[in-house]
Amino acid sequence: MRPGVLALSLSGLVALLFAVSLLIGPAQLGVTESLRALWSGEGGATVLVMREIRLPRALLAAMVGAVLGLSGAALQGYLRNPLAEPGLIGVSGAAALGAVIALQTGLAGAATLALPLSGLAGALVAVLIVLLLAGPRGGALTLILAGIAVSALAGALTALVLNLSPNPFAASEIVFWTLGSLADRSMVHVALAAPFIGLAGVALLSQARALDALTLGEDAAQAMGVSLTRVRLTLVLAIAAGVGAATAVAGAIGFVGLVVPHLLRRWVGARPGRLLWASALGGAALVLAADIAVRLIAPDRDLKLGVIMALIGAPLFLHLIWRTRAEA
Amino acid sequence: MSALTLRDLTVKRGDCPVVDNVSLTIAPGEVVGLIGPNGAGKTTLMRAALGLLRSEGSSSLLALGPAERARAAAWLPQAREIAWPVSVETLVRLGRMPHGAGTSPTDDAAVHAALQRCGLESFRTRSATALSGGEQARVLIARALAQDAPLLLADEPIAGLDPAAQIQIMEVFQTLAGEGKAVLVSLHDLGLAARHCTRLVLLHRGRLVAEGSPRDVLAAQHLAATFGISGAFVETPSGPLFQTLEVLR
């Protein structure tokens, strides 16, 4: 498909899903009524619902999806492996641990931003450990191993926090948070995550040409003027900022970074550079769609976004393995 | 002006030198064959010359910045890596990266010429990973040619290819030299090296043992001391050809 056509189709899909996301919710509002309230700010309770509940939810879904898809595509391009996903470098696990600690200590209840900030702190610690372990010049393998080690440690500590939670209610609060959701988020969450996700997006998109060159392997790319050290540092820091912020505001949402690049690869002629923006748009569309599904399937049960994503993502992942096996 | 000048180039792994004080000059118009047994340091020498690993001594390429260096020398690694199923043309166009965006008429012309030279015009839109090993090797050479650098370093580009492909690739190198470019190519096939290279460089345990015309470098004492084999130039209707004979005991 021509890149222009693909970009237009994906943008159109994102815009459509964004609009649908704005129109869905427990409050039964008319289409014109809600859109007018959103634009003009006139209409009492409707304005509140649109501007304080639905708009931040749709914005977060688009942002979180975009950065997850983009990070997955960038990491797959760098590692030249279609099975890589942003969680591989340990940031999502560590961000979740940070958030869980905020819940456990009661910090989360004290201030709205305590939970996401604590998640971001977790991501920061993780990226420092990974860079320390893998070193500035280490290869792709050390990066993966360091990521796995940090992920494992964060998982163990999260389990420990759960284990030590004072009562079943605290434990279930933690468990539900880790399932990932965009319900009851406010513009404050959007404002917190936006700069990190925006910076991550710019940084990752700037590596498009280097990732294209890496198609030929590290040696050939380097001989064409690509600085591997710079690519790696940019990727690790950007993914930490973007995925860390996404996890901090939305909880752990898996499979987006794995599945979206895989689905879109053939539409961009397998070029890793082009796959970046395509996966950002595709990720936004997928998470918006999943968040719509969450509200349509069981409006009164608070179905978690992370659960739906896993239910969509795991079969797609199986399909990927199946196809990889068939091609081998 | 030379295309590549190495002066006392040394690469150490721990305390052990893998490339030991090698000085070498390659002039435009030459196809220089780099020969030597496995582990002689051929790959290490070329990677050090390109600045892909740390070395002592000097390489004329190291004085240049990364982008300038990429315009001065193209590198064809031995591992034929094509990570994604991109089209042949997309892959060859990657060679234009050091020159900018890769979409100008000059870029188009260079890509077209490289495809043509490697006999790949009919493969343009095919997926590079779906091709045979020999075809992939040609695609990767076309990528290096598209880079349009005055110097090409190729690490065992003909290993594992059928005889026709081996000869075709060596002929591409000779054509390049005829156009005033320089080629440094490591080879294990001494017959092809003798036939297609203007000059041979013999490495053994990291040291430059002999350098000069194929007849001088493939002399009996050098073959015995480095490869542990005997060999001879044989008169054929196509002129004198080098033939390896037996392992010396």
Side-chain angles (χ1 to χ4, degrees):
Chain A
M1 198 186 286
R2 298 179 71 85
V5 177
L6 181 70
L8 272 178
S9 324
L10 284 173
S11 309
L13 183 65
V14 171
L16 179 72
L17 289 165
F18 191 86
V20 172
S21 177
L22 285 176
L23 297 175
I24 288 180
Q28 301 292 325
L29 306 173
V31 174
T32 39
E33 180 197 353
S34 28
L35 291 183
R36 189 181 308 131
L38 184 64
W39 281 120
S40 66
E42 286 164 22
T46 314
V47 175
L48 202 66
V49 169
M50 292 307 293
R51 287 196 171 170
E52 300 299 321
I53 298 174
R54 293 191 188 173
L55 184 61
R57 183 167 188 160
L59 282 173
L60 279 177
M63 280 161 42
V64 166
V67 81
L68 289 175
L70 179 56
S71 302
L75 208 56
Q76 292 184 5
Y78 171 66
L79 297 173
R80 303 185 297 294
N81 190 330
L83 300 181
E85 59 117 12
L88 200 65
I89 59 167
V91 240
S92 19
L97 172 66
V100 163
I101 289 174
L103 284 168
Q104 162 80 354
T105 53
L107 270 175
T112 325
L113 281 181
L115 188 146
L117 282 176
S118 175
L120 271 173
L124 180 70
V125 172
V127 74
L128 289 179
I129 296 177
V130 166
L131 286 178
L132 207 69
L133 282 173
R137 300 180 69 89
L141 185 67
T142 29
L143 181 67
I144 297 175
L145 290 175
I148 291 174
V150 169
S151 281
L153 187 63
L157 291 173
T158 305
L160 179 68
V161 173
L162 256 178
N163 195 175
L164 296 179
S165 57
N167 56 61
F169 301 109
S172 75
E173 193 190 2
I174 290 173
V175 169
F176 277 119
W177 187 87
T178 55
L179 292 179
S181 169
L182 290 171
D184 307 325
R185 303 302 195 265
S186 67
M187 279 314 230
V188 177
H189 290 95
V190 176
L192 175 72
F196 290 99
I197 290 178
L199 277 177
V202 172
L204 291 175
L205 287 170
S206 75
Q207 300 303 307
R209 273 160 63 82
L211 294 177
D212 274 345
L214 273 167
T215 302
L216 296 163
E218 297 195 348
D219 232 33
Q222 218 178 335
M224 281 199 293
V226 171
S227 161
L228 293 178
T229 314
R230 189 191 301 163
V231 173
R232 214 166 59 107
L233 198 64
T234 309
L235 249 56
V236 169
L237 291 176
I239 292 174
V243 175
T247 311
V249 293
I253 295 167
F255 289 103
V256 182
L258 182 66
V259 162
V260 169
H262 158 59
L263 288 175
L264 291 174
R265 184 160 286 119
R266 67 172 77 180
W267 298 104
V268 295
R271 289 182 58 171
R274 254 182 215 167
L275 191 56
L276 292 179
W277 59 256
S279 296
L281 290 170
L286 183 63
V287 172
L288 276 165
D291 191 45
I292 291 167
V294 161
R295 284 175 280 174
L296 286 181
I297 295 170
D300 44 358
R301 295 295 303 272
D302 189 21
L303 203 55
K304 297 295 183 190
L305 180 60
V307 178
I308 287 282
M309 263 327 304
L311 283 173
I312 301 171
L316 280 169
F317 187 49
L318 284 175
H319 170 70
L320 164 64
I321 297 168
W322 184 259
R323 221 176 56 180
T324 312
R325 210 187 64 163
E327 278 167 7
Chain B
M1 208 186 112
S2 75
L4 177 68
T5 307
L6 307 179
R7 204 157 286 142
D8 302 322
L9 198 72
T10 299
V11 180
K12 286 182 178 157
R13 200 158 291 158
D15 281 340
C16 170
V18 193
V19 167
D20 199 354
N21 271 303
V22 173
S23 297
L24 183 65
T25 304
I26 296 171
E30 279 192 303
V31 179
V32 177
L34 189 57
I35 59 172
N38 287 323
K42 303 186 291 295
T43 304
T44 309
L45 175 69
M46 290 198 275
R47 294 188 72 223
L50 284 157
L52 295 174
L53 41 83
R54 209 172 290 180
S55 59
E56 295 158 29
S58 77
S59 158
S60 53
L61 293 172
L62 296 182
L64 309 171
E68 275 181 304
R69 201 183 300 164
R71 286 192 289 270
W75 168 230
L76 190 62
Q78 188 186 0
R80 296 187 187 123
E81 185 168 347
I82 302 177
W84 306 106
V86 294
S87 76
V88 167
E89 187 179 341
T90 303
L91 197 89
V92 171
R93 202 173 280 274
L94 286 178
R96 299 303 297 166
M97 223 181 100
H99 299 274
T103 48
S104 74
T106 324
D107 295 319
D108 290 340
V111 170
H112 183 72
L115 286 169
Q116 199 172 29
R117 184 157 285 175
C118 297
L120 291 165
E121 292 128 306
S122 57
F123 290 82
R124 271 186 47 217
T125 55
R126 296 266 300 275
S127 164
T129 47
L131 304 177
S132 74
E135 289 160 349
Q136 288 191 5
R138 261 155 58 202
V139 171
L140 290 171
I141 289 172
R143 192 284 300 166
L145 296 188
Q147 206 166 328
D148 202 21
L151 171 68
L152 170 66
L153 291 97
D155 194 8
E156 298 196 28
I158 61 171
L161 302 184
D162 64 38
Q166 295 193 341
I167 295 171
Q168 279 163 0
I169 288 171
M170 292 310 295
E171 283 174 352
V172 168
F173 293 159
Q174 284 179 307
T175 315
L176 284 180
E179 292 166 3
K181 297 193 168 162
V183 180
L184 177 63
V185 51
S186 74
L187 296 163
H188 271 307
D189 188 317
L190 301 180
L192 284 175
R195 192 167 148 208
H196 294 280
C197 296
T198 38
R199 190 153 63 94
L200 295 184
V201 170
L202 176 58
L203 280 190
H204 185 46
R205 292 183 184 154
R207 285 171 191 248
L208 195 156
V209 178
E211 176 185 8
S213 74
R215 270 195 192 271
D216 293 342
V217 172
L218 295 175
Q221 76 272 20
H222 289 146
L223 290 174
T226 54
F227 292 97
I229 60 167
S230 63
F233 278 86
V234 192
E235 286 305 324
T236 74
S238 325
L241 297 179
F242 180 78
Q243 175 64 54
T244 53
L245 296 174
E246 59 187 2
V247 178
L248 303 171
R249 294 177 200 283

